[in-house]
């Protein structure tokens, strides 16, 4: 799904796209955030819908950010020595926002099991990094 679409949108091959997608997911902790959202107890329909929406947003943000990284960092169709470092190189270009997110994520991890508002703020910070 996402990886094939990202590959087509960015004009990069599937192995490179998959590597960037999963590298980004690990570097910015997308999987952990989605896992925490799934662990939350939902007392009512609204909370359950908010959690589902947050998980969807995290997938969407990871896909959008991967497309942006591949488009900005990779000449179409060319293989470069930096293929395995594209995520890190892109984050270096957006250092201030990436560091702000990492600081927030560190605080989030220290809280133990984060609640829905904290996870939503993490997703908002990722979107700002993606958009910025």
């Amino acid at each position: 799904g996402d990886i094939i679409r990202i590959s087509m949108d960015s004009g990069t091959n599937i192995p490179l796209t998959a590597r960037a997608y999963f590298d980004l997911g690990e570097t910015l902790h997308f999987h952990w955030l989605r896992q925490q959202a799934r662990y939350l107890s939902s007392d009512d329909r609204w909370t359950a819908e908010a959690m589902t929406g947050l998980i969807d947003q995290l997938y969407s943000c990871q896909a959008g950010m991967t497309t942006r990284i591949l488009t900005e960092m990779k000449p179409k169709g060319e293989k470069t020595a930096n293929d395995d470092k594209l995520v890190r190189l892109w984050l270096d270009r957006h250092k201030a926002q990436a560091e702000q997110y990492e600081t927030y994520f560190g605080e989030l991890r220290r809280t133990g099991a984060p609640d829905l508002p904290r996870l939503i703020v993490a997703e908002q910070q990722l979107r700002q990094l993606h958009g910025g």
Side-chain angles (χ1 to χ4, degrees), residues 38-50:
R38 287 186 185 104
Y39 289 158
L40 292 173
S41 62
S42 55
D43 300 335
D44 57 52
R45 190 186 101 189
W46 303 111
T47 306
E49 285 191 29

Side-chain angles (χ1 to χ4, degrees), residues 6 11 16 21 26-27 36-37 57 67 76 88 96 99 110 114 123-124 126 130 132:
I6 295 164
L16 174 60
Y21 181 86
E26 185 177 327
T27 303
Q36 296 306 308
Q57 279 294 110
T67 301
K76 283 190 190 278
R88 180 51 47 206
E99 286 176 353
R110 285 191 291 280
E123 188 274 335
Q124 289 170 343
L126 283 166
H130 169 218

Side-chain angles (χ1 to χ4, degrees), residues 20-108:
Y21 181 86
F22 292 114
D23 187 17
L24 180 67
E26 185 177 327
T27 303
L28 296 182
H29 321 287
F30 278 97
H31 177 72
W32 187 88
L33 293 167
R34 285 189 293 262
Q35 197 173 40
Q36 296 306 308
R38 287 186 185 104
Y39 289 158
L40 292 173
S41 62
S42 55
D43 300 335
D44 57 52
R45 190 186 101 189
W46 303 111
T47 306
E49 285 191 29
M51 286 165 28
T52 301
L54 173 62
I55 292 166
D56 289 346
Q57 279 294 110
L58 286 164
Y59 275 115
S60 175
C61 186
Q62 186 175 354
M65 199 179 293
T66 303
T67 301
R68 183 167 176 204
I69 290 168
L70 290 170
T71 303
E72 288 182 13
M73 303 301 293
K74 182 104 183 87
K76 283 190 190 278
E78 289 183 29
K79 181 165 178 46
T80 68
N82 289 326
D83 279 357
D84 60 339
K85 301 182 191 119
L86 293 180
V87 170
R88 180 51 47 206
L89 292 170
W90 186 84
L91 289 171
D92 286 348
R93 282 190 182 181
H94 302 274
K95 199 171 187 68
Q97 288 168 302
E99 286 176 353
Q100 180 182 352
Y101 169 74
E102 280 300 332
T103 299
Y104 180 79
F105 183 79
E107 293 169 9
L108 189 65

